[in-house]
Amino acid sequence: MKFGTKLIHNGNEVDPYTGALSIPIYQASTFHQPNIENIGKYDYARSGNPTREALESTIAQLENGVRGFAFSSGMAAISSVLSLFSAGDHIVICEDVYGGTFRIATKVFNRFGIEFTFVDASEISEIESAIKSNTKGLYLETPSNPLLKITDLREAIKIAKRNDVIVIVDNSFLSPYFQKPLDLGADIVVHSATKFIAGHSDVIGGLAVVKSEELARDLYTIQNSFGAVLGPQDCWLTLRGLKTLKVRMDVYEQTAQKLANWLLTNECVEEVYYPGLKEHPGHDIHFEQASGGGAVLSFTLKTIDQTIRFLQKVENVAVAVSLGGVETIVSYPVKMSHAAIPKDVRERLGVKDTLVRVSVGLEDVEDLIESFQKALR
């Protein structure tokens, strides 16, 4: 079954009790038990809910994993996955990482005795050099946020497996349509479902999919213990958004490619970051492990004044935090997604005050380019 068909027909499209072509929103906190000697599948909604189960089953199938988990936010998913580790463990993590992940690693989990080493994961040698005797995890984003750096997943996973290290990949930028890290050997994949999975800027949610039954048992214990689960209405909205993932991502990619090519020709633009450009570092590696360039690109302008003026003048887009909606979302990483990272660290990583990140939407690309052109004059 091809991916587009699997989005619609995966065993979670029909309510088994009524035949409704949409799994109902089971807005219930608890469930009646007719036989107290044999508690049923559902007892308390933190532990399990039919609507959430449908979403978790769907994302597990789309990522080719053993089991999926739905959380109250992308950061709840990431935090729950990091809770698999213990005091004294060491995790190697890509330095060009989402600011919320940087914050949780350096402000919370380090207090629990978990050590993090940040590396340029696009340089495989840096990953290998950072491995220590107590290294238990390798956390990657590829493409990374916000500079779209590419990590060679196959080579990184080889290093991890030689050292008995769990590999976690944040797949939010590409979704399972363009990239399947578990198929490449990763152990856990995480998503901010807020982004392309739900796809309409109306849900906050997170997802995780694991490759083994052992990890499934461990992560379920954490999910059930913390209780940071996605509510049934948001699960239903996410299921609905998922059905159009393929058609949205196809249009996004076409638009992103055209916009990136146009930005290369604009005299105000200094650099453009997009995996679909042949000039992009890691372009060939990216297309060996992914089937598309995705919908997110970044670019730098020549001055801060130009950057602020562009953000204030650009029309027919949302200037906002987040990405992955049907509308084009223009973000300013130093004030938004990466504000939690200290300025000196941001500058060292190349996250400049002149950097703009764009998540393209479903607008006609000609209108989008015209809007950008006017704002850059």
Side-chain angles (χ1 to χ4, degrees), residues 65-354:
V66 166
R67 184 169 178 178
F69 301 86
F71 297 92
S72 54
S73 69
M75 283 312 306
I78 291 167
S79 300
S80 296
V81 166
L82 291 178
S83 296
L84 292 166
F85 300 95
S86 304
D89 288 349
H90 172 246
I91 298 173
V92 178
I93 184 169
C94 57
E95 61 183 9
D96 186 25
V97 72
Y98 169 56
T101 307
F102 179 90
R103 179 174 53 225
I104 201 75
T106 59
K107 301 292 186 183
V108 179
F109 280 98
N110 63 333
R111 292 166 45 212
F112 301 151
I114 298 175
E115 180 189 0
F116 293 84
T117 297
F118 290 85
V119 301
D120 180 356
S122 65
E123 297 290 339
I124 291 298
S125 60
E126 290 202 21
I127 296 176
E128 190 149 29
S129 297
I131 299 288
K132 304 195 294 188
S133 59
N134 63 330
T135 303
K136 301 298 182 183
L138 172 61
Y139 188 100
L140 302 170
E141 287 181 11
T142 182
S144 68
N145 184 6
L147 295 177
L148 292 303
K149 285 188 175 182
I150 306 302
T151 297
D152 188 330
L153 285 176
R154 289 185 177 88
E155 291 303 313
I157 289 166
K158 284 180 186 176
I159 293 169
K161 296 310 175 189
R162 287 199 299 267
N163 293 277
D164 196 25
V165 168
I166 293 173
V167 180
I168 305 153
V169 179
D170 185 335
N171 201 28
S172 299
F173 267 30
L174 290 185
S175 84
Y177 178 51
F178 282 140
Q179 183 171 264
K180 292 184 175 63
L182 298 185
D183 287 358
L184 300 173
D187 300 290
I188 305 173
V189 62
V190 294
H191 290 276
S192 173
T194 309
K195 313 303 191 291
F196 295 107
I197 297 286
H200 291 77
S201 300
D202 55 10
V203 171
I204 295 288
L207 298 168
V209 183
V210 298
K211 193 175 182 178
S212 73
E213 293 289 355
E214 181 181 2
L215 282 172
R217 289 191 296 270
D218 291 346
L219 191 54
Y220 177 71
T221 298
I222 290 166
Q223 183 194 45
N224 192 33
S225 299
F226 279 168
V229 295
L230 193 61
Q233 178 148 346
D234 286 338
C235 287
W236 183 86
L237 284 168
T238 304
L239 280 166
R240 185 177 69 167
L242 258 174
K243 293 177 181 179
T244 60
L245 178 65
K246 179 184 183 296
V247 292
R248 287 186 285 110
M249 296 303 282
D250 282 342
V251 174
Y252 293 154
E253 184 188 26
Q254 294 169 19
T255 300
Q257 187 70 53
K258 291 176 181 178
L259 181 61
N261 287 331
W262 178 82
L263 285 166
L264 285 175
T265 68
N266 190 284
E267 61 182 12
C268 298
V269 175
E270 194 171 59
E271 293 180 276
V272 181
Y273 306 93
Y274 179 63
L277 296 173
K278 291 182 179 179
E279 306 88 348
H280 188 79
H283 167 88
D284 291 343
I285 292 171
H286 175 80
F287 281 94
E288 287 173 3
Q289 61 195 26
S291 61
V296 182
L297 59 92
S298 295
F299 63 93
T300 55
L301 295 170
K302 293 180 178 178
T303 68
I304 295 176
D305 287 344
Q306 275 183 325
T307 307
I308 300 302
R309 188 165 63 249
F310 170 79
L311 292 166
Q312 291 175 337
K313 292 179 65 177
V314 66
E315 298 177 344
N316 300 321
V317 304
V319 178
V321 174
S322 198
L323 55 98
V326 294
E327 61 285 298
T328 293
I329 299 176
V330 175
S331 296
Y332 191 36
V334 299
K335 296 287 187 181
M336 295 178 174
S337 60
H338 289 66
I341 299 178
K343 182 178 176 63
D344 61 326
V345 177
R346 288 200 310 263
E347 290 179 346
R348 179 176 59 79
L349 296 178
V351 183
K352 303 175 183 178
D353 291 344
T354 55

